[in-house]
């Protein structure tokens, strides 16, 4: 795990802070850790953005890579949010959500009369709105 964090050019203090969290990093799947980081790179996230996300939400690294891909694709394709890097840099904890949770949020907002464009604008202007439900 330390070598992966070093590849993200993290400061030693950030690495210490992450490792001091009450998280069983030994149970993380190394392939998913690497896969999730590579996915963010493929979606255009900068090294700095990835580093910020991991520092704030290291638990996301334990997501199954397929689940992260499904989430990113849904937000990009279904909600037409182009700047995923800005969205997740603003709220790194969104990466710990599953696609169905975002879909439920969208469905609820549609029932309230919002269009997909309205929902997109809402999420982009307040990335924490999904957590407020």
């Amino acid at each position: 795990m330390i070598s992966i964090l070093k590849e993200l050019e993290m400061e030693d203090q950030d690495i210490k802070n992450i490792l001091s969290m009450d998280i069983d990093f030994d149970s993380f799947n190394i392939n998913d850790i690497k896969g999730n980081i590579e996915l963010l790179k493929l979606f255009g996230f900068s090294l700095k953005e990835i580093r910020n996300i991991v520092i704030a939400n290291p638990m996301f690294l334990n997501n199954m890579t397929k689940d992260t891909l499904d989430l990113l694709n849904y937000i990009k394709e279904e909600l037409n949010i182009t700047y995923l890097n800005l969205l997740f840099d603003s709220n790194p904890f969104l990466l710990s959500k599953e696609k169905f949770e975002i879909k439920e949020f969208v469905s609820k907002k549609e029932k309230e009369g919002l269009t997909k464009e309205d929902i997109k604008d809402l999420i982009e202007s307040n990335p924490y709105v999904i957590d407020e439900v």
Side-chain angles (χ1 to χ4, degrees):
M1 180 73 168
I2 293 174
S3 64
I4 293 170
L5 298 177
K6 289 222 181 253
E7 287 176 19
L8 295 175
E9 299 176 10
M10 282 195 187
E11 300 289 328
D12 288 339
Q13 188 58 47
D14 291 326
I15 293 172
K16 285 179 187 176
N17 289 341
I18 290 171
L19 296 177
S20 71
M21 294 179 180
D22 190 24
I23 300 172
D24 181 16
F25 289 108
D26 292 335
S27 68
F28 283 29
N29 180 311
I30 193 72
N31 292 327
D32 285 328
I33 294 170
K34 290 179 179 180
N36 285 318
I37 291 171
E38 286 305 311
L39 274 177
L40 295 183
K41 289 177 183 176
L42 286 172
F43 275 82
F45 289 65
S46 71
L47 187 60
K48 181 180 179 183
E49 291 163 337
I50 295 169
R51 186 172 49 243
N52 290 343
I53 289 167
V54 172
I55 288 169
N57 182 14
M59 285 301 297
F60 121 83
L61 294 173
N62 197 36
N63 292 355
M64 290 178 54
T65 305
K66 182 191 178 319
D67 291 343
T68 302
L69 178 61
D70 287 346
L71 176 69
L72 293 170
N73 279 332
Y74 178 77
I75 291 173
K76 183 175 183 173
E77 295 170 9
E78 295 296 319
L79 298 179
N80 201 27
I81 294 178
T82 308
Y83 299 105
L84 296 178
N85 57 330
L86 299 178
L87 178 69
F88 290 107
D89 195 34
S90 298
N91 183 357
F93 299 100
L94 278 177
L95 281 164
S96 290
K97 299 244 181 244
E98 293 191 38
K99 177 180 151 183
F100 81 87
E101 293 175 282
I102 307 299
K103 285 178 85 168
E104 285 177 356
F105 172 81
V106 169
S107 177
K108 179 181 180 208
K109 292 299 176 185
E110 287 176 329
K111 287 177 185 168
E112 292 174 5
L114 273 66
T115 65
K116 284 252 171 114
E117 187 65 27
D118 293 334
I119 297 166
K120 171 191 172 193
D121 292 343
L122 180 64
I123 293 170
E124 287 181 326
S125 66
N126 179 7
Y128 286 91
V129 71
I130 295 170
D131 298 323
E132 296 170 2
V133 175

